[in-house]
Amino acid sequence: GVKETYSGYGAEQGKAGLREKIASKLYNDKIKPEEVFVSDGAKCDIARLQMMFGSKVISAVQDPSYPVYVDTSVMMGQTGTMDTDKSQFDNIVYMPCNPGNGFFPDLKSMPRADVIYFCSPNNPTGAAATKSQLTELVKHANEQGSIIVFDA
């Protein structure tokens, strides 16, 4: 960078001009710029959410999924011990997402979770959930009283 264009840390919700463009161009002015949040990345946001949820929640993650969901659960003390046979932590609901189930979890067999982390397109598989699948996920979360953290 150069001194003339250096602006230091940005505003906590993101630069106002960028939020205005997102509200007008992407959402056709259906939302206000104040309703747009531009962050410094998913890792920081997930950690902030984990701090807000606290250590007594059960999280559900796609399997495979972006490692930060599990990593931050561990750092927040939400997990139990590592099951070395499965390479999975106790107190996390792992939702298998593989070719056998169209990369979408079987929500009916899933234990209840307080927070469901759902990434679409999925990292690392690249699988994208359909509108119907996302509708099913929201219905499931509403019925279970779960919060969805949707990472796109």
Side-chain angles (χ1 to χ4, degrees), residues 4 19 26 31 40 50 61 80 86-88 109 125 134 136-137 146:
E4 294 76 34
R19 292 185 0 247
L26 294 180
I31 63 171
D40 52 355
Q50 291 281 22
V61 298
K86 295 180 183 177
S87 294
Q88 295 180 342
S109 67
T125 68
L134 293 174
E136 181 184 345
L137 177 65
S146 302

Side-chain angles (χ1 to χ4, degrees), residues 1-151:
V2 293
K3 185 177 181 179
E4 294 76 34
T5 58
Y6 177 73
S7 61
Y9 288 110
E12 66 183 41
Q13 284 188 276
K15 294 195 177 246
L18 176 59
R19 292 185 0 247
E20 289 167 8
K21 292 269 188 202
I22 290 171
S24 68
K25 301 294 183 190
L26 294 180
Y27 292 96
N28 297 318
D29 292 316
K30 292 179 183 170
I31 63 171
K32 299 175 193 161
E34 296 81 27
E35 297 174 287
V36 175
F37 177 77
V38 179
S39 76
D40 52 355
K43 288 179 184 176
C44 294
D45 292 339
I46 297 301
R48 288 179 190 114
L49 287 171
Q50 291 281 22
M51 288 173 58
M52 182 180 74
F53 295 140
S55 62
K56 306 243 186 281
V57 299
I58 301 290
S59 295
V61 298
Q62 292 158 289
D63 186 20
S65 72
Y66 185 45
V68 170
Y69 310 137
V70 172
D71 295 348
T72 53
S73 294
V74 171
M75 290 188 304
M76 282 302 301
Q78 297 171 352
T79 63
T81 57
M82 165 70 84
D83 181 333
T84 53
D85 292 334
K86 295 180 183 177
S87 294
Q88 295 180 342
F89 285 93
D90 294 332
N91 297 337
I92 291 184
V93 176
Y94 290 87
M95 304 180 295
C97 295
N98 53 57
N101 62 11
F103 294 98
F104 190 77
D106 178 7
L107 299 173
K108 291 179 180 77
S109 67
M110 182 180 123
R112 188 193 174 281
D114 299 300
V115 182
I116 301 169
Y117 290 94
F118 197 85
C119 184
S120 181
N122 178 274
N123 179 354
T125 68
T130 65
K131 181 178 180 181
S132 172
Q133 289 171 326
L134 293 174
T135 300
E136 181 184 345
L137 177 65
V138 170
K139 181 177 183 249
H140 172 80
N142 282 333
E143 289 170 353
Q144 299 294 314
S146 302
I147 296 169
I148 298 171
V149 175
F150 186 75
D151 188 358

